[in-house]
Amino acid sequence: FVWFFLLCLSVALRNLFSNATLIMELVPELPFWLGSKIVTLSIPFIIVSTLFYTRTVFRHGKASRLFRFLVAVNGLYALVVVLAPSGFYSVIFPSYLASIGLVFAWIIYLAVAAIRAKQSQAGLLFAGMLFLSAGAIVDSLIYLQAIAYPYVLPITLAGFILQNVVLLARRYAQAYRRAEILSHDLQESLDKLTCTETAFMNAQMKPHFLFNALTAIAENCESDPKKVSQLILSLARYLRKTLDYGNIAELETLERELEHVRAYAAIEQSRFAGIEVVFDLPDPLPPVSLPPITLQPLVENAIRHGLRPRCEGGRVVVSLSCERDQVLFRVNDNGVGMPDDALNRLTLLPQGSGGIGLYNIHTRLTRLYGQGLTIQSERETGTSISFTVPLKGI
């Protein structure tokens, strides 16, 4: 806190200039009257810093009339010390001590109110205020020559500051623990959100895709039973992955993700002549995990928007390569390509219900790995979509 720093600084200056022998050694040319003014001036600075610091610690947000009055009195006395001769402010100092007593009474009132409100560390603060108030009372009686005893306020101030250092350390430790808990809760929420987004991606399967797949199966039942058998198995694998809402993990193994892509590609190749899906993969596959339902929408996008508009079809190449500690995934097609304005909209949240697939994938990859999809396209040449993931997952 700023006010706690000013309180410590004021106490340090008072203790330094109160030691006449040390000051004469450090600053031998310093006039006695100036040193006396600095020592006296440190008192209202200590009181004002204590007022603001206490109000901050006890979370007493609104400044009351009494608080403003006490600040004004100390400010006025500091002004008198600066402008008036030492004889004048020494005469009014006993009256000023009464305002200091009122300050500590107000502070103890705040401490008691904080204890009743069960504020954190309020009891420790109350004990520190009592200790500091006792030192101020004793020093006031010594100054008024009511008792003969060495001044104890420097000791009580040092004890009060040390006690508050401990208090602030405990508060920061509690705040750090709360931040850790909030961070853990936030991570859990993000994990749940990722799973929800994956379920949403699964739910985006268009009904007409299922109808067309069943139609393709029906058309080949008599002419090519073996092909129908393979189509049914591919559709079963695709639906098992797509409709498994209750078993969605944050990351998926590469083998299972490729199985899903192959099932989808087999169905589409049976429906459309001239479409070829090629897998350019290393053997063995690298030990990498990636968000589920990541590659299949990229292949679907290449077929639907790149190859199907061409009468002669085309080719989609799914490839991956290891680069240092990362794996580069790439889905290329030699389709019709797309204009720049359409290219720039692919990773933005679309308006309406359509076209959310690539945006969803881009967002999930960015959240998990810090970077999303890289898309390049050229009209009548084709489109390339790539992304990288760490070699061993997150």
Side-chain angles (χ1 to χ4, degrees):
F1 296 114
V2 175
W3 291 111
F4 184 66
F5 169 76
L6 293 177
L7 173 61
C8 296
L9 181 62
S10 302
V11 171
L13 289 175
R14 175 176 173 79
N15 290 339
L16 176 63
F17 284 93
S18 295
N19 191 333
T21 303
L22 180 60
I23 286 298
M24 288 183 65
E25 292 180 358
L26 295 176
V27 192
E29 66 277 6
L30 182 72
F32 175 79
W33 64 268
L34 181 56
S36 176
K37 274 184 178 286
I38 294 175
V39 171
T40 308
L41 193 61
S42 67
I43 297 175
F45 274 94
I46 291 173
I47 297 301
V48 171
S49 300
T50 304
L51 278 170
F52 278 97
Y53 170 68
T54 306
R55 196 184 103 181
T56 303
V57 170
F58 286 133
R59 306 186 185 101
H60 190 76
K62 187 177 180 180
S64 63
R65 292 181 180 178
L66 179 58
F67 176 84
R68 291 193 293 266
F69 170 75
L70 294 174
V71 173
V73 168
N74 282 273
L76 181 61
Y77 183 74
L79 188 62
V80 170
V81 172
V82 172
L83 300 178
S86 60
F88 180 77
Y89 61 75
S90 298
V91 171
I92 65 172
F93 186 73
S95 301
Y96 173 65
L97 288 177
S99 70
I100 295 178
L102 191 59
V103 166
F104 285 108
W106 182 78
I107 290 174
I108 291 174
Y109 164 76
L110 283 186
V112 172
I115 292 174
R116 289 180 177 177
K118 297 182 179 179
Q119 287 188 16
S120 176
Q121 314 296 334
L124 187 61
L125 281 168
F126 177 70
M129 291 303 174
L130 284 180
F131 183 65
L132 183 60
S133 301
I137 292 171
V138 170
D139 268 27
S140 299
L141 294 174
I142 295 171
Y143 180 82
L144 297 173
Q145 298 182 351
I147 59 175
Y149 200 78
Y151 285 105
V152 297
L153 185 58
I155 298 175
T156 57
L157 278 170
F160 175 74
I161 290 174
L162 180 62
Q163 176 253 0
N164 277 270
V165 168
V166 174
L167 183 143
L168 292 176
R170 292 176 66 177
R171 284 200 168 186
Y172 279 117
Q174 290 176 351
Y176 178 76
R177 286 194 293 270
R178 286 196 297 269
E180 281 191 323
I181 293 173
L182 289 174
S183 177
H184 180 265
D185 292 344
L186 178 61
Q187 186 59 50
E188 284 189 344
S189 299
L190 288 175
D191 292 343
K192 292 179 181 178
L193 176 61
T194 300
C195 291
T196 302
E197 288 177 340
T198 303
F200 176 77
M201 285 287 294
N202 289 355
Q204 297 304 298
M205 183 185 67
K206 302 296 188 296
H208 69 261
F209 170 79
L210 180 58
F211 299 152
N212 291 336
L214 293 175
T215 301
I217 291 172
E219 290 176 350
N220 289 275
C221 280
E222 296 183 0
S223 60
D224 196 344
K226 185 176 180 180
K227 180 180 179 180
V228 168
S229 176
Q230 294 298 323
L231 282 176
I232 293 175
L233 289 176
S234 297
L235 182 60
R237 294 191 190 99
Y238 179 81
L239 293 178
R240 181 177 61 186
K241 177 71 174 179
T242 304
L243 302 179
D244 189 10
Y245 302 133
N247 188 29
I248 298 174
E250 181 182 3
L251 293 176
E252 185 71 274
T253 63
L254 178 58
E255 289 80 0
R256 293 195 61 182
E257 186 69 13
L258 289 174
E259 179 184 356
H260 184 57
V261 176
R262 287 191 175 99
Y264 173 81
I267 296 171
E268 291 294 88
Q269 286 176 293
S270 69
R271 292 175 55 208
F272 302 104
I275 289 181
E276 182 182 8
V277 180
V278 178
F279 293 88
D280 182 12
L281 307 173
D283 187 18
L285 292 174
V288 65
S289 300
L290 64 160
I293 319 295
T294 297
L295 288 174
Q296 183 270 325
L298 302 184
V299 175
E300 179 181 356
N301 183 79
I303 293 175
R304 290 182 60 193
H305 302 290
L307 303 187
R308 282 169 54 181
R310 297 179 61 187
C311 297
E312 67 273 23
R315 169 183 291 192
V316 178
V317 180
V318 180
S319 63
L320 63 91
S321 59
C322 296
E323 298 181 356
R324 297 182 181 178
D325 57 347
Q326 293 185 326
V327 177
L328 172 64
F329 290 84
R330 192 182 300 275
V331 177
N332 296 334
D333 69 73
N334 60 349
V336 297
M338 64 186 74
D340 292 339
D341 57 340
L343 185 65
N344 295 330
R345 291 195 303 267
L346 284 179
T347 56
L348 300 177
L349 181 62
Q351 301 297 321
S353 59
I356 201 170
L358 293 187
Y359 167 79
N360 192 300
I361 296 171
H362 179 74
T363 302
R364 287 190 295 153
L365 288 171
T366 302
R367 184 183 300 131
L368 290 171
Y369 305 113
Q371 56 183 350
L373 297 175
T374 300
I375 305 175
Q376 298 175 328
S377 185
E378 186 176 346
R379 294 298 301 270
E380 304 304 329
T381 299
T383 302
S384 173
I385 303 179
S386 61
F387 63 91
T388 59
V389 300
L391 187 57
K392 295 183 180 180
I394 295 180

